[in-house]
Amino acid sequence: MKSGAPLLFLSVSLLVSGCGIGGEKAGTELDPPKVNYVKEGKSLDKKEKTAKTESTQKRQLFLFDSNGMVVPQVLALPKNDETAKQVLQYLVKDGPVSNMIPNGFQAVLPADTEVLSVNIKKGTATANFSKEFKEYNAKDEMKILQAITFTLTQFDNIKKVKIQIEGKNQNSMPVNNTPVGEGVSRVDGINLENGSVADITNSELVTLYFLAQTQDQTYYVPVTRRVAKEGTDKVTATIEHLIDGPSAESNLLTDFRTDVKLLSTPVVKDGVVTLNFNGAVLDNKEESMIADEVLNSIVLSLTELSEVKKVAIKVDGKSKIFTEKGKELTAPVSRPKEVNTGEF
């Protein structure tokens, strides 16, 4: 696995530190951590699991990881009629999320911040916070706004997010004046990096999913990269930048080989994009097996594009491809509703 960060979380060998040569995965092999959200020494019997499921609902919270990246984590929150307000309450430091948060992660909103209301109108959610919301470091401002935006836009009826403090509209964030304007959306990106683009006016944004690893889990991290247009469609640009891998300073990982290539221009029809790769995309050519991490990164990244809902993969023009579990990909793969759950 190259370093520069699953729909499936299986036992995998992670390789870090270094660049691939001749199509090989680069780096040093690590033992994969197990993903386990039940504390050691404790177990849940069937009745306890059923009761917990009936009284909770899975929600995606965007938190800070140990590298300061904004990362989705799915947690089981108590059932609540005010779901949009609730997910923001679980972003507050020292708040109700404290006993649930995975090791190495932290909440993003300043301690003692109150979520006064969340009003949703015509696809825009206006989040109203108490004055304590202002008590954050300027360097965290953009990522705090991203965490709020991506957490709220998990709901189908929310496309944009606006900010209020004590009922007053904020045209920009209060500490470092990051613009909010008429609302922020996922199109504005997350964990932004400029890449090697010099001409910002002739560029566009793509969101890529790489991997990160802690002692407790392996998880996906979305990174929005500015890429040159140069006449390349966004699907092709996304795949090419996935193959390029994460930036060296990001501490993120990838399982793509360096000699992976698209053999033809991707075709999008009725929300399904069809990709035709060379054999380097396979982890095991004899068994036509694609690594879970490669498949997942492709699907997560491409379904961030508004025109893509599902992904179909071919290798050398053939569609008989298998997952690590030996399941044939007989149909296009959809994006999961939940990312970083420890399961698929």
Side-chain angles (χ1 to χ4, degrees):
M1 184 168 294
K2 294 184 295 179
S3 68
L7 308 183
L8 307 170
F9 279 82
L10 304 177
S11 294
V12 294
S13 293
L14 298 178
L15 306 173
V16 296
S17 300
C19 299
I21 299 176
E24 294 298 319
K25 299 174 188 175
T28 304
E29 196 167 303
L30 300 177
D31 291 331
K34 294 181 179 179
V35 180
N36 185 1
Y37 291 115
V38 179
K39 292 184 178 180
E40 188 175 351
K42 294 184 180 181
S43 64
L44 297 175
D45 62 27
K46 191 171 182 179
K47 290 183 179 179
E48 288 175 323
K49 287 182 178 179
T50 301
K52 183 178 181 180
T53 300
E54 291 177 348
S55 62
T56 61
Q57 52 197 354
K58 288 184 178 180
R59 297 299 181 202
Q60 196 168 81
L61 305 180
F62 281 76
L63 308 169
F64 288 157
D65 72 357
S66 58
N67 295 316
M69 306 291 275
V70 184
V71 178
Q73 288 286 321
V74 174
L75 302 177
L77 308 187
K79 285 192 174 178
N80 189 307
D81 292 335
E82 295 183 286
T83 53
K85 181 177 179 180
Q86 181 193 41
V87 291
L88 294 185
Q89 291 171 328
Y90 275 76
L91 296 185
V92 178
K93 293 177 182 178
D94 302 328
V97 76
S98 298
N99 295 326
M100 308 170 62
I101 205 164
N103 289 335
F105 289 81
Q106 60 176 309
V108 302
L109 299 183
D112 299 323
T113 297
E114 292 183 49
V115 183
L116 302 178
S117 63
V118 178
N119 294 316
I120 304 169
K121 185 177 181 180
K122 295 183 179 179
T124 298
T126 301
N128 184 20
F129 298 102
S130 65
K131 62 182 184 299
E132 288 80 9
F133 175 71
K134 301 177 182 180
E135 298 172 5
Y136 57 80
N137 292 325
K139 65 180 179 64
D140 295 329
E141 181 172 271
M142 184 172 290
K143 290 187 175 181
I144 288 173
L145 182 58
Q146 292 166 3
I148 294 169
T149 300
F150 276 69
T151 297
L152 284 177
T153 53
Q154 71 184 282
F155 302 113
D156 292 339
N157 62 332
I158 299 177
K159 304 303 179 186
K160 288 185 176 183
V161 173
K162 297 177 71 174
I163 303 295
Q164 288 183 341
I165 298 176
E166 302 285 354
K168 295 181 179 179
N169 291 327
Q170 306 293 305
N171 291 322
S172 60
M173 291 286 280
V175 177
N176 207 34
N177 298 316
T178 299
V180 175
E182 294 303 310
V184 181
S185 72
R186 290 192 174 217
V187 174
D188 296 301
I190 186 170
N191 296 316
L192 291 162
E193 60 177 53
N194 285 329
S196 58
V197 174
D199 183 6
I200 294 180
T201 60
N202 192 33
S203 65
E204 57 190 354
L205 299 176
V206 296
T207 297
L208 313 167
Y209 279 77
F210 297 116
L211 285 162
Q213 181 182 12
T214 67
Q215 292 182 343
D216 296 320
Q217 63 170 307
T218 303
Y219 56 92
Y220 286 95
V221 178
V223 174
T224 300
R225 181 175 295 173
R226 189 171 292 281
V227 302
K229 289 182 179 178
E230 296 180 352
T232 303
D233 64 275
K234 291 189 79 169
V235 171
T236 299
T238 299
I239 295 299
E240 289 177 348
H241 280 269
L242 279 177
I243 296 169
D244 287 344
S247 62
E249 63 272 14
S250 69
N251 294 319
L252 302 180
L253 315 169
T254 182
D255 209 32
F256 274 85
R257 298 177 185 274
T258 56
D259 57 348
V260 174
K261 295 186 187 314
L262 285 170
L263 299 180
S264 57
T265 302
V267 176
V268 182
K269 184 178 180 181
D270 298 328
V272 178
V273 63
T274 300
L275 308 171
N276 184 22
F277 289 99
N278 65 353
V281 78
L282 298 175
D283 196 56
N284 186 322
K285 292 184 181 180
E286 291 183 0
E287 297 181 5
S288 297
M289 187 269 286
I290 187 169
D292 295 337
E293 290 77 16
V294 171
L295 175 62
N296 300 335
S297 291
I298 291 170
V299 174
L300 286 169
S301 300
L302 289 181
T303 53
E304 286 287 349
L305 303 176
S306 59
E307 67 269 29
V308 177
K309 305 303 178 188
K310 297 181 180 181
V311 179
I313 294 178
K314 295 182 179 181
V315 176
D316 294 324
K318 300 176 182 178
S319 56
K320 198 166 187 178
I321 312 299
F322 296 87
T323 68
E324 286 184 6
K325 285 184 176 179
K327 180 181 178 181
E328 185 177 355
L329 296 176
T330 56
V333 182
S334 301
R335 182 186 183 88
K337 290 185 177 180
E338 301 163 350
V339 181
N340 295 337
T341 63
E343 59 187 351
F344 177 60

